[in-house]
Amino acid sequence: MDFITIDFETATAQRDSPCELGLTFVKDRQIVETKSWLIKPMYADFDYFNVLIHGIRPEDVADKPEFDVLWDEIKPLIENQFLIAHNAGFDMSVLRRTLEAYQLPFPTLQYSCSYIFSKKVWQGLPAYDLKTLCNANGIVFKHHRAGADSRATAELALKAFDRAEVYSVEDFPEKLRTSVGKLFEGGYSPSETKRVYKNVAEQIVGDLSKHNTKSIFYGKTVVFTGTLSSMVRSKAQQAIADIGGILGNAITKDTDFLVVGQQDYKVVGDDGMSSKQEKAIKLIEKGAAIEVISENDFLRNL
């Protein structure tokens, strides 16, 4: 099976600010080449957080071409091809938003998301980010550079296809329970899956002897979003259950606290917020008494 893996790095949280693109080409289930391009963003701003992640600075791209110039070289490589990205929702939106910013038509191609189908192939892992999956599969790479990430995604996809016995794009719906997305002039359809979530919160039972009626979390519904740096989420949820709090998986008007950990900038929306945080803000604006707190505030009140 032939495919191309794609990875973007961006200068800011805005999806139309690519500063690097990586493509890795797979022919007959063999990696044959990786190409990467540094890109001068349309706007000169670089966010400190993005630079911290990928290490690309404004001076590194000052004399590089902008995306519209590179597009004449890139488009023939991906036109009518099958692309794979790890978290395709991010990378394909970078492609779409950037093309729209330069008023360029979309190419015609198919794509899938290795973040989504990896959940079907390696069930029960603590996380499904590219680094965790590569560590679990013995893939060594320099994370957060576009060429290296695209090659690691190709290696990971090949291992996933071998494990799931996937031999063609037509196998994706049945063997990976993942739809194939499409990009075409004038629009797109996403690569999706019917996700089945295990309600971990319902499986956690608190220790009655540890209930603390003086805690701000006692009798309150607490939801977590993002990655906690101090502990794994299940441990934090256990702490809430032991205090006598109520664990929630989704944000509703009955939620009392939303604890916000570190967000993955490739997963969150353009505003830097997770879907849970966005929903909480909307409910707060409608009068819901939801308190959004940081991990540090959470730890201080345990």
Side-chain angles (χ1 to χ4, degrees):
M1 183 170 65
D2 298 347
F3 59 91
I4 301 168
T5 51
I6 183 171
D7 183 85
F8 279 104
E9 301 297 333
T10 57
T12 71
Q14 300 303 313
R15 301 294 168 90
D16 58 355
S17 66
C19 59
E20 191 174 39
L21 167 64
L23 297 175
T24 294
F25 301 84
V26 178
K27 301 288 186 183
D28 297 323
R29 301 178 82 94
Q30 297 292 323
I31 295 174
V32 295
E33 185 180 15
T34 295
K35 291 177 175 287
S36 65
W37 297 263
L38 284 169
I39 304 167
K40 182 180 180 180
M42 181 180 293
Y43 306 105
D45 295 337
F46 271 69
D47 286 350
Y48 171 78
F49 177 74
N50 292 57
V51 174
L52 193 65
I53 292 294
H54 51 57
I56 302 169
R57 301 178 180 277
E59 55 266 29
D60 297 324
V61 299
D63 61 348
K64 302 300 180 182
E66 291 191 25
F67 186 84
D68 59 335
V69 176
L70 289 173
W71 186 236
D72 289 339
E73 178 184 357
I74 295 166
K75 182 181 180 182
L77 298 175
I78 64 175
E79 182 81 48
N80 296 316
Q81 300 299 312
F82 178 50
L83 272 59
I84 296 174
H86 199 76
N87 192 0
F90 171 81
D91 294 288
M92 299 310 294
S93 70
V94 171
L95 179 59
R96 295 196 313 272
R97 297 286 180 84
T98 305
L99 289 171
E100 288 169 347
Y102 284 107
Q103 299 183 331
L104 295 168
F106 292 174
T108 299
L109 55 84
Q110 292 181 300
Y111 68 93
S112 186
C113 178
S114 55
Y115 174 84
I116 290 177
F117 65 65
S118 290
K119 290 186 175 183
K120 312 303 178 187
V121 177
W122 294 284
Q123 297 183 22
L125 293 181
Y128 289 88
D129 58 277
L130 185 60
K131 185 175 181 180
T132 297
L133 285 164
C134 286
N135 285 344
N137 285 278
I139 299 170
V140 179
F141 71 115
K142 183 180 180 181
H143 198 15
H144 291 306
R145 290 304 300 261
D149 280 8
S150 72
R151 185 178 181 89
T153 300
E155 293 184 48
L156 182 70
L158 287 169
K159 288 181 179 290
F161 298 159
D162 285 343
R163 188 180 179 97
E165 298 182 342
V166 170
Y167 302 105
S168 70
V169 175
E170 287 71 29
D171 288 335
F172 275 57
E174 179 182 352
K175 295 184 178 180
L176 295 175
R177 289 189 286 143
T178 304
S179 67
V180 174
K182 295 180 180 180
L183 190 64
F184 47 88
E185 187 169 352
Y188 75 101
S189 60
S191 173
E192 297 177 319
T193 186
K194 184 177 180 181
R195 301 182 182 185
V196 179
Y197 292 101
K198 293 182 180 179
N199 194 339
V200 177
E202 291 183 356
Q203 300 173 8
I204 295 176
V205 180
D207 185 342
L208 291 174
S209 67
K210 296 180 180 179
H211 277 198
N212 180 6
T213 58
K214 295 182 179 180
S215 171
I216 66 170
F217 301 125
Y218 181 79
K220 303 296 184 180
T221 299
V222 182
V223 177
F224 293 86
T225 185
T227 302
L228 300 177
S229 59
S230 59
M231 65 185 80
V232 296
R233 183 179 295 186
S234 60
K235 185 176 180 180
Q237 290 175 317
Q238 185 67 60
I240 291 297
D242 288 344
I243 285 172
I246 303 166
L247 296 171
N249 273 333
I251 295 293
T252 70
K253 61 182 178 60
D254 296 320
T255 303
D256 295 294
F257 292 97
L258 173 63
V259 181
V260 179
Q262 182 177 349
Q263 303 292 342
D264 185 340
Y265 81 101
K266 284 196 171 186
V267 176
V268 297
D270 291 350
D271 55 9
M273 294 191 292
S274 69
S275 58
K276 288 181 181 177
Q277 194 171 356
E278 289 176 340
K279 186 172 183 180
I281 296 300
K282 289 179 181 178
L283 288 173
I284 291 170
E285 291 174 348
K286 293 180 180 179
I290 302 172
E291 187 171 350
V292 180
I293 64 174
S294 66
E295 180 179 355
N296 286 337
D297 288 336
F298 165 71
L299 294 173
R300 279 195 291 267
N301 286 283
L302 279 183

